[in-house]
Amino acid sequence: MKWLLRTVFIVIMLLVIVFTGFAQKNVTITVQDYFDPAQSMGKFIEEKMVEFENNHPNVKINHTYIPYSQLLPTILQEAITKTVPEIIMVNNPNISQLIKAGVLKDLTGKVKEWGWENWEDYLKGYRDNGSYEDKIYAFQITGNNLALFYRKSLLDKAGIANPPKTWQELEEQCKKIKEVLNITPFAYDGEASDEGSFQFYSFLWSNGGSLLELDQPEAIEALQFLTDMFKKGYIPRDVLNITSQGDLTPWFVNGEVAFMINGCWEFGWHLTEDVMQKLGDVKVTSIPVPEKGMHSINAFGGECYGISSNIDPAKYDVAWEFLESLLSSDFNLRLNIASASLPTRASAVNEILTEMPILEPFLEQSKYALPMALMGGMENYGEISSILWVSIQKAFTGVATPEEVFKEAAQNIKGIFSPEDYEKYKQLARTLLQEASKK
Amino acid sequence: MNKKQRKECKLKWTLIALIPTIIIILPVYFIAIGGFQSTAEIFHRPLYWFPPHPSMEFYNQAWVTLFPYLKNSLIVALGNLALTLTVAVPAAFALAKFRLKLGKLTFLILLFTQILPATAVILPLFLIFNNFGLINNYFSVILGIAVFTIPFATVILRAYIQGIPTSIIEAAFIDGADLFRIFRSIILPLLSPAIATAGTLTFIMAWGDFIFSLTFLKDQTMQTMSIGIYRFVGQYGVEWNNLMAGSMIFAILPIIVALLAGKAIVSGLTAGAFK
Amino acid sequence: MKAFSYKMYFFLIPALVYQLIFGVYPLIYNLILSFKDVNLITYIGGTSQWIGLSNYVQILKDPVFKKAIFNTLIFTGLSLCFQFIVGFCLALLFNRTFPLKGLFQSLIMIPWVLPIMVSGSFFRWFFNDQGMANNILLSWGFIDKPIPWITSQILPILSITAANIWLGIPFTFILLYTGLRAIPLELFESAEIDGANWWQNILFITIPILKPVIITILTLGCILTVKAFDLIWIMTKGGPGDVSQLLTTLSYSLAFNKFHFGKSSSLLVIMVLLVISLTILFNSIKVEEESSIE
């Protein structure tokens, strides 16, 4: 009798071990972003997933891609219902908010193991954006910023030899082009969204203005300049309602505008090799600055990856391992070349120039580029950005003067913060701007 | 009038009806031809009334992209249609012809629960469905959409049932028929045009649903065509030509449903009991 | 016959229970949220504090709110009015047999079927300063400067309303059409004998019989129109400068641009109350109740 019981016991123990072994064998990680696998970024990331699965037979990686406009609402809904996937991609402006809301996991320990030199290889702005209070939460894998695109042939027709370097030159050239060619020459995105705000930053920061001090002359001058351009008919009125910056490019390609402010990604999107060959005269330069000798201080954009703060602890190591494989310098370079985005790691910065020399003005500007969220009150950046774009639109449509709209905006923005926080963020913005102006 | 004159008389109405139809369809024409052009050509000024270099490439690409989603859209839309009609038709009958104690309350609830936009409803419903493990299941999407389609269809059907003379029903009662039999043999046949109409509108609503499918179906292979369309709306901008081609493909099935329903409306009425 | 009343509950209960669980719960959820101070951090962390009516007070003081209510009323009123008129005329027109009728009917449904992303964008291009509408008007010489259909202050909401009218025509058309087809021909025949003309037929026969359908169209149309969001968002995102905000777009913007979830919900509650009052108004128009079965 006893040996029967013992055998049964042993068999049960064996079964338990075998089954829990089976249970442990399959780890599923989900990676969520907006990279459609029909396009290069998504394709490369899925290749990495397959590679990782081959090297780790007990791991399954799922790729969930969400439509771009739905990414943030989806992350919010997942955060509230505690169903955030293991690895998530976040668009650059939202990182600060999500860090503060506790959505992303503190990865400092893992970075230590990986090696600090890897983290420090990331350019400073990206490191600032992805960390908080000395803890690391997110890695930016693609960078971008805006520059002035122009059609050389149209400038030639209007008798203009060189692209504008200052605001005044831009205005004069627009005047000339409008007279000679009868087009509205300057495509600037004035829509009611983050992209509209994004376009404004070069004009604001190059002139020494700050999002947290919009009632100061530097900020008002920037808005005044653009408003005058709009009112004089140098900017097409329809920019108020476009869907995104990408809608400016068809006008540019059709020769209906001579200048456009757009991002480096266009070279991986609308302005592909065959289009560039057909047009033959597409050139890029840094965004014009208020006065000679200044340099263009821009906002940078891009995408970041992080790990969910409520990840199952058993999955953490595997998730980190996969994330680490996405962060390698050459993989990032591949992604950057495919999507015409800027490398985020110092070691890769110059390599992209050999592949895509046209990105030179973007790379030059990226030396001084600043993180939007840190310049705009961190977790309150979303609200500040929305106040900004409404003000810009009000000034453009003539509801009120730039001075009036910005005075009101500055008051509203100040009211979002407690007095101490307001001072803190105001100082942070000033410090970052000073550093960028000096370089 | 002989046959030829009658035909001419009818043809005159075809021509008259052609005018408003063309006016209404004109925007659709531009969307349809957009699918044959490149994005730059679509935005060309002056506007092209006919594609300068028509190409089938974009319709092909849109079809290849969207076809895998077709099955999912059908499952969701047909599933929702079945659930909606099964619940709505009887409820509409009860509300239209009987003074029930809960009737007024039910009607008010049916109206007021439709008012919230889907974005306000999605989170609380996600919480419920997640607790029951229904996420990533077609059923959750069907149930989610039904929150709007059931009251919608019920209210519509109620209006049509109110138009059926009560005398017919009372006569059947007097003849000794029981409730379910009356419902099956008298009400349903009389209602087939109304059911076709409510069904068409319900199907179109379910076919076009975006937010429920996006939020409740995490598995990429289960998502519906309305989400597939959004693959053309990316982070760098919109692929307008592919999007337009895709929307035409998207619209084919619901239009076929509308066509079939139209036939059902006509044939249903000739079987009516208005003699 | 009470026995029948009792059995009829079986017909009614599924819909009632369904809506109570899945429809009323979200209403309560939003109501509760509207009394709390909710931002991104507290929403995710579940630590929002009760602040009573504070959200409502702030919303009501916001100048954009007044604009949103005004726009919503104009948008809804004009949309319902014109959608009804056009839908009714089309239904009258199609209330006869002729070749290709089925085809035309299903073509007329297309505005309701197309993804709004596309049809909304079309109307945006149509109303662009350099869009179709201005091109046509300019080339025919009716105007010499482009009209800022969606880039000025008063016109945007009207342009969006025009687009919405187009979108909603299939809805009123198909409901009125089905209603018309159910009207027995004998009524018209006997009216003809009495010497009534076409116009009197409509006024004294058609419309009274269609009353339940018409009230339903107005009620459902009101609900669907007030909660319309995508069209406005695609055409102007509520701009330029917040001039074309409706209650729905303002609510969405408060939630997903500014992360003021509590205020967003309070706006939704106000919207629900608004629609409730409007529908009570519509439904107070008495239908000559056909006697109901006891």
Side-chain angles (χ1 to χ4, degrees), chain B residues 14 24-25 45 97 101 113-114 120 123 143 159-160 166 179 197 244 247 259 269, chain C residues 8-9 18-19 30 43 99 106-107 118 130 166 175 178 181 216 227 291 293:
Chain B
T14 305
I24 291 179
I25 294 305
R45 280 193 296 263
K97 287 298 177 189
K101 264 181 283 193
T113 50
Q114 289 182 73
L123 201 70
L143 290 177
Y160 290 117
T166 319
L179 191 64
T197 302
M244 288 171 159
S247 342
L259 198 66
L269 283 152
Chain C
M8 282 318 291
Y9 274 106
Y18 193 90
Q19 284 307 106
N30 276 288
Y43 202 11
S106 38
L107 287 179
V118 177
Q130 294 174 309
W166 182 84
L175 288 174
T178 307
R181 298 296 288 181
T216 301
K227 78 177 193 179
S291 55
I293 304 165

mmCIF file of all heavy atoms in Angstrom, chain B residues 14 24-25 45 97 101 113-114 120 123 143 159-160 166 179 197 244 247 259 269, chain C residues 8-9 18-19 30 43 99 106-107 118 130 166 175 178 181 216 227 291 293:
data_model
loop_
_atom_site.group_PDB
_atom_site.id
_atom_site.type_symbol
_atom_site.label_atom_id
_atom_site.label_comp_id
_atom_site.label_asym_id
_atom_site.label_seq_id
_atom_site.Cartn_x
_atom_site.Cartn_y
_atom_site.Cartn_z
ATOM 1 N N THR B 14 -37.080 58.245 -64.523
ATOM 2 C CA THR B 14 -35.669 57.887 -64.360
ATOM 3 C C THR B 14 -34.794 59.095 -64.596
ATOM 4 O O THR B 14 -33.867 59.365 -63.839
ATOM 5 C CB THR B 14 -35.285 56.772 -65.361
ATOM 6 O OG1 THR B 14 -36.156 55.677 -65.189
ATOM 7 C CG2 THR B 14 -33.861 56.323 -65.126
ATOM 8 N N ILE B 24 -25.995 64.334 -55.615
ATOM 9 C CA ILE B 24 -25.570 63.741 -54.355
ATOM 10 C C ILE B 24 -24.300 62.927 -54.553
ATOM 11 O O ILE B 24 -23.432 62.882 -53.689
ATOM 12 C CB ILE B 24 -26.690 62.863 -53.773
ATOM 13 C CG1 ILE B 24 -27.847 63.756 -53.334
ATOM 14 C CG2 ILE B 24 -26.188 62.036 -52.605
ATOM 15 C CD1 ILE B 24 -29.016 63.005 -52.768
ATOM 16 N N ILE B 25 -24.178 62.259 -55.682
ATOM 17 C CA ILE B 25 -23.059 61.354 -55.905
ATOM 18 C C ILE B 25 -21.797 62.079 -56.364
ATOM 19 O O ILE B 25 -20.716 61.518 -56.350
ATOM 20 C CB ILE B 25 -23.472 60.290 -56.955
ATOM 21 C CG1 ILE B 25 -24.555 59.423 -56.360
ATOM 22 C CG2 ILE B 25 -22.336 59.382 -57.355
ATOM 23 C CD1 ILE B 25 -24.130 58.821 -55.057
ATOM 24 N N ARG B 45 -3.890 71.953 -58.748
ATOM 25 C CA ARG B 45 -4.831 73.045 -59.011
ATOM 26 C C ARG B 45 -4.537 73.564 -60.394
ATOM 27 O O ARG B 45 -3.402 73.922 -60.664
ATOM 28 C CB ARG B 45 -4.677 74.143 -57.974
ATOM 29 C CG ARG B 45 -5.403 73.786 -56.696
ATOM 30 C CD ARG B 45 -5.523 75.002 -55.805
ATOM 31 N NE ARG B 45 -4.218 75.478 -55.371
ATOM 32 C CZ ARG B 45 -3.651 75.171 -54.211
ATOM 33 N NH1 ARG B 45 -4.269 74.385 -53.382
ATOM 34 N NH2 ARG B 45 -2.471 75.654 -53.902
ATOM 35 N N LYS B 97 -47.399 48.751 -29.344
ATOM 36 C CA LYS B 97 -48.800 48.396 -29.318
ATOM 37 C C LYS B 97 -49.351 48.072 -27.938
ATOM 38 O O LYS B 97 -50.512 47.745 -27.790
ATOM 39 C CB LYS B 97 -49.031 47.190 -30.240
ATOM 40 C CG LYS B 97 -48.947 47.537 -31.705
ATOM 41 C CD LYS B 97 -50.030 48.534 -32.074
ATOM 42 C CE LYS B 97 -49.945 48.958 -33.515
ATOM 43 N NZ LYS B 97 -50.841 50.063 -33.825
ATOM 44 N N LYS B 101 -46.255 48.782 -18.132
ATOM 45 C CA LYS B 101 -45.815 49.669 -17.057
ATOM 46 C C LYS B 101 -44.385 50.129 -17.285
ATOM 47 O O LYS B 101 -44.031 51.265 -17.058
ATOM 48 C CB LYS B 101 -45.943 48.966 -15.704
ATOM 49 C CG LYS B 101 -47.253 49.299 -14.992
ATOM 50 C CD LYS B 101 -47.338 48.610 -13.645
ATOM 51 C CE LYS B 101 -47.689 47.159 -13.897
ATOM 52 N NZ LYS B 101 -48.102 46.455 -12.666
ATOM 53 N N THR B 113 -29.586 56.347 -23.711
ATOM 54 C CA THR B 113 -28.295 55.658 -23.706
ATOM 55 C C THR B 113 -27.595 55.761 -25.047
ATOM 56 O O THR B 113 -26.480 55.300 -25.192
ATOM 57 C CB THR B 113 -28.466 54.181 -23.329
ATOM 58 O OG1 THR B 113 -29.499 53.626 -24.125
ATOM 59 C CG2 THR B 113 -28.781 54.022 -21.863
ATOM 60 N N GLN B 114 -28.250 56.377 -26.027
ATOM 61 C CA GLN B 114 -27.594 56.536 -27.328
ATOM 62 C C GLN B 114 -26.802 57.825 -27.421
ATOM 63 O O GLN B 114 -26.057 58.028 -28.360
ATOM 64 C CB GLN B 114 -28.638 56.582 -28.455
ATOM 65 C CG GLN B 114 -29.318 55.288 -28.746
ATOM 66 C CD GLN B 114 -30.284 55.475 -29.900
ATOM 67 O OE1 GLN B 114 -29.889 55.620 -31.035
ATOM 68 N NE2 GLN B 114 -31.574 55.494 -29.590
ATOM 69 N N ALA B 120 -16.827 58.066 -25.117
ATOM 70 C CA ALA B 120 -17.140 58.181 -23.691
ATOM 71 C C ALA B 120 -17.589 56.850 -23.122
ATOM 72 O O ALA B 120 -17.596 56.645 -21.919
ATOM 73 C CB ALA B 120 -18.247 59.214 -23.496
ATOM 74 N N LEU B 123 -14.421 53.203 -22.461
ATOM 75 C CA LEU B 123 -13.638 52.819 -21.290
ATOM 76 C C LEU B 123 -14.453 52.021 -20.278
ATOM 77 O O LEU B 123 -14.036 50.941 -19.868
ATOM 78 C CB LEU B 123 -13.012 54.057 -20.640
ATOM 79 C CG LEU B 123 -11.830 53.699 -19.769
ATOM 80 C CD1 LEU B 123 -10.682 53.256 -20.644
ATOM 81 C CD2 LEU B 123 -11.402 54.876 -18.917
ATOM 82 N N LEU B 143 -21.263 43.062 -28.976
ATOM 83 C CA LEU B 143 -22.043 43.575 -27.851
ATOM 84 C C LEU B 143 -21.854 45.078 -27.713
ATOM 85 O O LEU B 143 -22.788 45.811 -27.409
ATOM 86 C CB LEU B 143 -21.600 42.884 -26.555
ATOM 87 C CG LEU B 143 -21.966 41.417 -26.408
ATOM 88 C CD1 LEU B 143 -21.404 40.870 -25.109
ATOM 89 C CD2 LEU B 143 -23.473 41.252 -26.431
ATOM 90 N N ALA B 159 -41.676 53.014 -34.627
ATOM 91 C CA ALA B 159 -42.429 53.990 -35.407
ATOM 92 C C ALA B 159 -43.230 53.317 -36.514
ATOM 93 O O ALA B 159 -44.387 53.684 -36.773
ATOM 94 C CB ALA B 159 -41.479 55.018 -36.000
ATOM 95 N N TYR B 160 -42.637 52.330 -37.163
ATOM 96 C CA TYR B 160 -43.356 51.668 -38.251
ATOM 97 C C TYR B 160 -44.477 50.789 -37.731
ATOM 98 O O TYR B 160 -45.534 50.676 -38.337
ATOM 99 C CB TYR B 160 -42.392 50.839 -39.102
ATOM 100 C CG TYR B 160 -41.463 51.691 -39.922
ATOM 101 C CD1 TYR B 160 -40.096 51.653 -39.726
ATOM 102 C CD2 TYR B 160 -41.966 52.557 -40.888
ATOM 103 C CE1 TYR B 160 -39.248 52.439 -40.468
ATOM 104 C CE2 TYR B 160 -41.127 53.352 -41.629
ATOM 105 C CZ TYR B 160 -39.769 53.296 -41.414
ATOM 106 O OH TYR B 160 -38.944 54.086 -42.156
ATOM 107 N N THR B 166 -54.182 48.822 -35.505
ATOM 108 C CA THR B 166 -54.372 47.933 -34.356
ATOM 109 C C THR B 166 -55.516 46.963 -34.583
ATOM 110 O O THR B 166 -55.532 45.861 -34.044
ATOM 111 C CB THR B 166 -54.672 48.766 -33.099
ATOM 112 O OG1 THR B 166 -53.819 49.913 -33.116
ATOM 113 C CG2 THR B 166 -54.429 47.972 -31.836
ATOM 114 N N LEU B 179 -50.371 35.101 -28.817
ATOM 115 C CA LEU B 179 -49.497 36.254 -29.035
ATOM 116 C C LEU B 179 -48.353 35.947 -29.986
ATOM 117 O O LEU B 179 -48.093 36.667 -30.939
ATOM 118 C CB LEU B 179 -48.945 36.691 -27.680
ATOM 119 C CG LEU B 179 -48.233 38.042 -27.725
ATOM 120 C CD1 LEU B 179 -49.231 39.106 -28.085
ATOM 121 C CD2 LEU B 179 -47.612 38.318 -26.382
ATOM 122 N N THR B 197 -35.263 48.147 -43.725
ATOM 123 C CA THR B 197 -34.704 49.489 -43.550
ATOM 124 C C THR B 197 -33.854 49.578 -42.286
ATOM 125 O O THR B 197 -32.713 50.026 -42.323
ATOM 126 C CB THR B 197 -35.845 50.526 -43.464
ATOM 127 O OG1 THR B 197 -36.621 50.432 -44.633
ATOM 128 C CG2 THR B 197 -35.289 51.918 -43.294
ATOM 129 N N MET B 244 -8.581 56.859 -50.680
ATOM 130 C CA MET B 244 -9.796 57.009 -51.473
ATOM 131 C C MET B 244 -10.144 55.697 -52.171
ATOM 132 O O MET B 244 -11.308 55.292 -52.181
ATOM 133 C CB MET B 244 -9.593 58.110 -52.514
ATOM 134 C CG MET B 244 -9.564 59.482 -51.887
ATOM 135 S SD MET B 244 -9.052 60.677 -53.116
ATOM 136 C CE MET B 244 -9.685 62.139 -52.398
ATOM 137 N N SER B 247 -11.619 53.454 -49.585
ATOM 138 C CA SER B 247 -12.984 53.742 -49.148
ATOM 139 C C SER B 247 -14.006 53.256 -50.147
ATOM 140 O O SER B 247 -15.101 52.857 -49.760
ATOM 141 C CB SER B 247 -13.253 55.223 -48.933
ATOM 142 O OG SER B 247 -12.098 55.912 -48.805
ATOM 143 N N LEU B 259 -28.868 47.678 -51.669
ATOM 144 C CA LEU B 259 -29.560 47.298 -52.908
ATOM 145 C C LEU B 259 -30.522 46.145 -52.651
ATOM 146 O O LEU B 259 -31.696 46.184 -53.037
ATOM 147 C CB LEU B 259 -28.508 46.877 -53.942
ATOM 148 C CG LEU B 259 -28.927 46.841 -55.402
ATOM 149 C CD1 LEU B 259 -29.225 48.246 -55.874
ATOM 150 C CD2 LEU B 259 -27.826 46.250 -56.249
ATOM 151 N N LEU B 269 -43.954 44.923 -49.499
ATOM 152 C CA LEU B 269 -45.199 45.671 -49.470
ATOM 153 C C LEU B 269 -46.268 45.032 -50.322
ATOM 154 O O LEU B 269 -47.451 45.129 -50.052
ATOM 155 C CB LEU B 269 -44.942 47.105 -49.935
ATOM 156 C CG LEU B 269 -44.272 47.879 -48.807
ATOM 157 C CD1 LEU B 269 -43.412 48.972 -49.353
ATOM 158 C CD2 LEU B 269 -45.321 48.415 -47.886
ATOM 159 N N MET C 8 -46.002 39.944 -22.906
ATOM 160 C CA MET C 8 -45.293 40.954 -23.680
ATOM 161 C C MET C 8 -43.994 41.357 -23.018
ATOM 162 O O MET C 8 -43.088 41.848 -23.666
ATOM 163 C CB MET C 8 -46.163 42.206 -23.872
ATOM 164 C CG MET C 8 -47.223 42.065 -24.925
ATOM 165 S SD MET C 8 -46.630 41.217 -26.389
ATOM 166 C CE MET C 8 -45.515 42.440 -27.024
ATOM 167 N N TYR C 9 -43.911 41.184 -21.708
ATOM 168 C CA TYR C 9 -42.673 41.559 -21.039
ATOM 169 C C TYR C 9 -41.490 40.767 -21.562
ATOM 170 O O TYR C 9 -40.373 41.246 -21.586
ATOM 171 C CB TYR C 9 -42.811 41.408 -19.514
ATOM 172 C CG TYR C 9 -43.397 42.645 -18.886
ATOM 173 C CD1 TYR C 9 -44.713 42.673 -18.435
ATOM 174 C CD2 TYR C 9 -42.636 43.806 -18.780
ATOM 175 C CE1 TYR C 9 -45.244 43.820 -17.885
ATOM 176 C CE2 TYR C 9 -43.162 44.953 -18.236
ATOM 177 C CZ TYR C 9 -44.471 44.957 -17.792
ATOM 178 O OH TYR C 9 -44.986 46.094 -17.258
ATOM 179 N N TYR C 18 -30.478 44.768 -21.415
ATOM 180 C CA TYR C 18 -29.240 45.045 -22.156
ATOM 181 C C TYR C 18 -28.832 46.501 -21.981
ATOM 182 O O TYR C 18 -27.689 46.810 -21.641
ATOM 183 C CB TYR C 18 -29.438 44.734 -23.641
ATOM 184 C CG TYR C 18 -28.140 44.690 -24.382
ATOM 185 C CD1 TYR C 18 -27.437 43.494 -24.490
ATOM 186 C CD2 TYR C 18 -27.596 45.824 -24.970
ATOM 187 C CE1 TYR C 18 -26.233 43.442 -25.150
ATOM 188 C CE2 TYR C 18 -26.388 45.775 -25.618
ATOM 189 C CZ TYR C 18 -25.708 44.577 -25.709
ATOM 190 O OH TYR C 18 -24.510 44.531 -26.341
ATOM 191 N N GLN C 19 -29.759 47.398 -22.214
ATOM 192 C CA GLN C 19 -29.420 48.818 -22.127
ATOM 193 C C GLN C 19 -29.126 49.246 -20.702
ATOM 194 O O GLN C 19 -28.322 50.133 -20.471
ATOM 195 C CB GLN C 19 -30.547 49.678 -22.695
ATOM 196 C CG GLN C 19 -30.597 49.685 -24.204
ATOM 197 C CD GLN C 19 -29.277 50.053 -24.852
ATOM 198 O OE1 GLN C 19 -28.582 49.221 -25.393
ATOM 199 N NE2 GLN C 19 -28.913 51.319 -24.777
ATOM 200 N N ASN C 30 -19.575 58.267 -16.434
ATOM 201 C CA ASN C 30 -19.218 59.619 -16.829
ATOM 202 C C ASN C 30 -19.742 60.649 -15.840
ATOM 203 O O ASN C 30 -19.109 61.671 -15.580
ATOM 204 C CB ASN C 30 -19.751 59.920 -18.237
ATOM 205 C CG ASN C 30 -18.803 59.420 -19.302
ATOM 206 O OD1 ASN C 30 -17.740 59.981 -19.515
ATOM 207 N ND2 ASN C 30 -19.185 58.354 -19.952
ATOM 208 N N TYR C 43 -6.025 60.002 -13.093
ATOM 209 C CA TYR C 43 -6.901 59.066 -13.788
ATOM 210 C C TYR C 43 -6.245 57.682 -13.825
ATOM 211 O O TYR C 43 -6.852 56.682 -13.494
ATOM 212 C CB TYR C 43 -7.159 59.565 -15.214
ATOM 213 C CG TYR C 43 -8.408 59.021 -15.873
ATOM 214 C CD1 TYR C 43 -9.367 58.319 -15.169
ATOM 215 C CD2 TYR C 43 -8.636 59.233 -17.219
ATOM 216 C CE1 TYR C 43 -10.515 57.844 -15.770
ATOM 217 C CE2 TYR C 43 -9.777 58.772 -17.833
ATOM 218 C CZ TYR C 43 -10.708 58.071 -17.110
ATOM 219 O OH TYR C 43 -11.851 57.609 -17.728
ATOM 220 N N PRO C 99 -37.433 52.496 -64.223
ATOM 221 C CA PRO C 99 -36.200 51.734 -64.435
ATOM 222 C C PRO C 99 -35.024 52.329 -63.659
ATOM 223 O O PRO C 99 -34.936 53.541 -63.495
ATOM 224 C CB PRO C 99 -35.941 51.855 -65.946
ATOM 225 C CG PRO C 99 -37.215 52.257 -66.535
ATOM 226 C CD PRO C 99 -38.008 52.971 -65.497
ATOM 227 N N SER C 106 -29.728 52.860 -53.984
ATOM 228 C CA SER C 106 -28.552 52.423 -53.235
ATOM 229 C C SER C 106 -27.397 53.391 -53.413
ATOM 230 O O SER C 106 -26.586 53.547 -52.512
ATOM 231 C CB SER C 106 -28.152 51.008 -53.609
ATOM 232 O OG SER C 106 -28.319 50.781 -54.964
ATOM 233 N N LEU C 107 -27.335 54.088 -54.565
ATOM 234 C CA LEU C 107 -26.287 55.103 -54.725
ATOM 235 C C LEU C 107 -26.492 56.234 -53.722
ATOM 236 O O LEU C 107 -25.539 56.771 -53.169
ATOM 237 C CB LEU C 107 -26.290 55.667 -56.151
ATOM 238 C CG LEU C 107 -25.752 54.744 -57.246
ATOM 239 C CD1 LEU C 107 -25.848 55.422 -58.596
ATOM 240 C CD2 LEU C 107 -24.318 54.348 -56.967
ATOM 241 N N VAL C 118 -12.787 60.189 -45.296
ATOM 242 C CA VAL C 118 -12.683 60.529 -46.702
ATOM 243 C C VAL C 118 -13.707 61.580 -47.120
ATOM 244 O O VAL C 118 -13.368 62.576 -47.753
ATOM 245 C CB VAL C 118 -12.849 59.262 -47.570
ATOM 246 C CG1 VAL C 118 -12.820 59.621 -49.028
ATOM 247 C CG2 VAL C 118 -11.757 58.284 -47.256
ATOM 248 N N GLN C 130 -8.515 77.681 -51.572
ATOM 249 C CA GLN C 130 -8.133 77.381 -52.945
ATOM 250 C C GLN C 130 -8.763 76.068 -53.393
ATOM 251 O O GLN C 130 -8.182 75.303 -54.142
ATOM 252 C CB GLN C 130 -6.603 77.323 -53.048
ATOM 253 C CG GLN C 130 -6.001 78.698 -52.799
ATOM 254 C CD GLN C 130 -4.480 78.682 -52.737
ATOM 255 O OE1 GLN C 130 -3.868 77.910 -52.031
ATOM 256 N NE2 GLN C 130 -3.870 79.562 -53.501
ATOM 257 N N TRP C 166 -25.336 66.824 -46.292
ATOM 258 C CA TRP C 166 -25.072 65.813 -47.325
ATOM 259 C C TRP C 166 -24.958 64.429 -46.716
ATOM 260 O O TRP C 166 -25.520 63.457 -47.210
ATOM 261 C CB TRP C 166 -23.795 66.195 -48.064
ATOM 262 C CG TRP C 166 -23.402 65.290 -49.182
ATOM 263 C CD1 TRP C 166 -23.847 65.328 -50.475
ATOM 264 C CD2 TRP C 166 -22.450 64.222 -49.128
ATOM 265 N NE1 TRP C 166 -23.227 64.349 -51.226
ATOM 266 C CE2 TRP C 166 -22.370 63.657 -50.419
ATOM 267 C CE3 TRP C 166 -21.646 63.690 -48.128
ATOM 268 C CZ2 TRP C 166 -21.533 62.598 -50.730
ATOM 269 C CZ3 TRP C 166 -20.812 62.625 -48.437
ATOM 270 C CH2 TRP C 166 -20.768 62.092 -49.730
ATOM 271 N N LEU C 175 -35.752 56.265 -44.377
ATOM 272 C CA LEU C 175 -36.818 56.090 -43.393
ATOM 273 C C LEU C 175 -38.137 56.643 -43.913
ATOM 274 O O LEU C 175 -39.194 56.021 -43.758
ATOM 275 C CB LEU C 175 -36.432 56.778 -42.079
ATOM 276 C CG LEU C 175 -35.321 56.065 -41.303
ATOM 277 C CD1 LEU C 175 -34.912 56.881 -40.100
ATOM 278 C CD2 LEU C 175 -35.783 54.687 -40.858
ATOM 279 N N THR C 178 -39.519 54.286 -46.791
ATOM 280 C CA THR C 178 -40.206 53.088 -46.310
ATOM 281 C C THR C 178 -41.564 53.441 -45.724
ATOM 282 O O THR C 178 -42.543 52.715 -45.909
ATOM 283 C CB THR C 178 -39.356 52.378 -45.244
ATOM 284 O OG1 THR C 178 -38.064 52.146 -45.765
ATOM 285 C CG2 THR C 178 -39.975 51.072 -44.815
ATOM 286 N N ARG C 181 -44.047 54.069 -48.593
ATOM 287 C CA ARG C 181 -44.474 52.876 -49.311
ATOM 288 C C ARG C 181 -45.560 52.132 -48.565
ATOM 289 O O ARG C 181 -46.289 51.336 -49.143
ATOM 290 C CB ARG C 181 -43.279 51.921 -49.521
ATOM 291 C CG ARG C 181 -42.159 52.501 -50.350
ATOM 292 C CD ARG C 181 -42.562 52.793 -51.742
ATOM 293 N NE ARG C 181 -42.753 51.582 -52.534
ATOM 294 C CZ ARG C 181 -43.096 51.582 -53.806
ATOM 295 N NH1 ARG C 181 -43.305 52.720 -54.430
ATOM 296 N NH2 ARG C 181 -43.225 50.457 -54.461
ATOM 297 N N THR C 216 -39.761 60.158 -35.044
ATOM 298 C CA THR C 216 -38.602 59.300 -34.819
ATOM 299 C C THR C 216 -37.380 59.833 -35.544
ATOM 300 O O THR C 216 -36.279 59.854 -35.008
ATOM 301 C CB THR C 216 -38.905 57.870 -35.306
ATOM 302 O OG1 THR C 216 -40.026 57.381 -34.605
ATOM 303 C CG2 THR C 216 -37.722 56.967 -35.080
ATOM 304 N N LYS C 227 -24.216 64.359 -31.383
ATOM 305 C CA LYS C 227 -22.995 63.653 -31.016
ATOM 306 C C LYS C 227 -22.023 63.509 -32.176
ATOM 307 O O LYS C 227 -20.999 62.852 -32.050
ATOM 308 C CB LYS C 227 -23.306 62.313 -30.356
ATOM 309 C CG LYS C 227 -23.696 61.184 -31.241
ATOM 310 C CD LYS C 227 -23.876 59.960 -30.324
ATOM 311 C CE LYS C 227 -23.950 58.692 -31.126
ATOM 312 N NZ LYS C 227 -24.088 57.518 -30.282
ATOM 313 N N SER C 291 -55.431 53.259 -30.912
ATOM 314 C CA SER C 291 -55.674 52.670 -29.604
ATOM 315 C C SER C 291 -54.722 51.510 -29.398
ATOM 316 O O SER C 291 -54.489 50.713 -30.296
ATOM 317 C CB SER C 291 -57.105 52.173 -29.522
ATOM 318 O OG SER C 291 -57.373 51.294 -30.589
ATOM 319 N N ILE C 293 -53.435 48.047 -27.440
ATOM 320 C CA ILE C 293 -54.132 46.850 -26.995
ATOM 321 C C ILE C 293 -54.050 46.785 -25.480
ATOM 322 O O ILE C 293 -52.986 46.947 -24.900
ATOM 323 C CB ILE C 293 -53.457 45.615 -27.607
ATOM 324 C CG1 ILE C 293 -53.455 45.783 -29.126
ATOM 325 C CG2 ILE C 293 -54.177 44.352 -27.196
ATOM 326 C CD1 ILE C 293 -52.532 44.841 -29.815
#
